Amino acid sequence: MKGLIQYLYEIKLDKAILWCYLIWYVVVVGFHFDPSVKIWINSIGISAVIGTGLMLSVSSSKGKTDHWQAFRLYLMPFCVSSFSALIKDQGFIIFISPNITETIVSVSGCGLFLLLILVVKVFKNKVI
């Protein structure tokens, strides 16, 4: 638990935004999950191709690999392609669901996460 609190205390805005992306994605998948193997296999294939291209574009000659960065570079194309397949013909406006409940759950999830970060940053030194 201490490690999680430390992570939330040190998290920067850019990483918090990426977590919000993931929260939004998980909510949409929860509401629109499709067990069709084709969607998930295609998403894995796209992830492999695009993720490898992204890895090549950010690789350095030092050869040191940031494993979390590599994970994100492969995860993002997977999420984008599966998200796109799941919301096809669902009436989404860019990435906003036409179902207000889904949008409220997504925004609330992200808001609660950001609030948690704020609480940890404000109270960490007072509690620990």
Side-chain angles (χ1 to χ4, degrees):
M1 188 67 157
K2 200 171 187 177
L4 176 62
I5 291 171
Q6 187 65 31
Y7 176 79
L8 294 173
Y9 182 74
E10 295 174 357
I11 196 168
K12 303 287 186 240
L13 181 60
D14 56 347
K15 297 297 186 293
I17 291 170
L18 289 176
W19 278 107
C20 285
Y21 284 6
L22 183 61
I23 290 166
W24 197 283
Y25 171 78
V26 168
V27 170
V28 169
V29 169
F31 278 103
H32 296 275
F33 181 76
D34 184 341
S36 169
V37 175
K38 184 178 177 184
I39 289 173
W40 305 105
I41 295 295
N42 285 341
S43 295
I44 290 169
I46 289 168
S47 175
V49 172
I50 302 301
T52 300
L54 291 170
M55 285 294 295
L56 293 171
S57 73
V58 300
S59 65
S60 67
S61 59
K62 296 177 184 176
K64 185 179 176 188
T65 302
D66 177 351
H67 296 291
W68 281 112
Q69 180 185 38
F71 176 73
R72 288 190 309 268
L73 291 175
Y74 282 94
L75 180 65
M76 283 191 266
F78 173 83
C79 291
V80 168
S81 59
S82 59
F83 184 94
S84 178
L86 292 173
I87 69 168
K88 182 180 179 185
D89 299 328
Q90 298 290 325
F92 276 65
I93 301 168
I94 304 174
F95 60 91
I96 309 292
S97 174
N99 181 324
I100 190 68
T101 303
E102 294 173 25
T103 302
I104 289 171
V105 171
S106 297
V107 170
S108 297
C110 187
L112 287 172
F113 175 70
L114 296 174
L115 181 63
L116 177 64
I117 291 171
L118 179 64
V119 167
V120 168
K121 288 182 182 284
V122 169
F123 293 108
K124 180 183 181 278
N125 292 331
K126 295 176 183 170
V127 174
I128 294 177

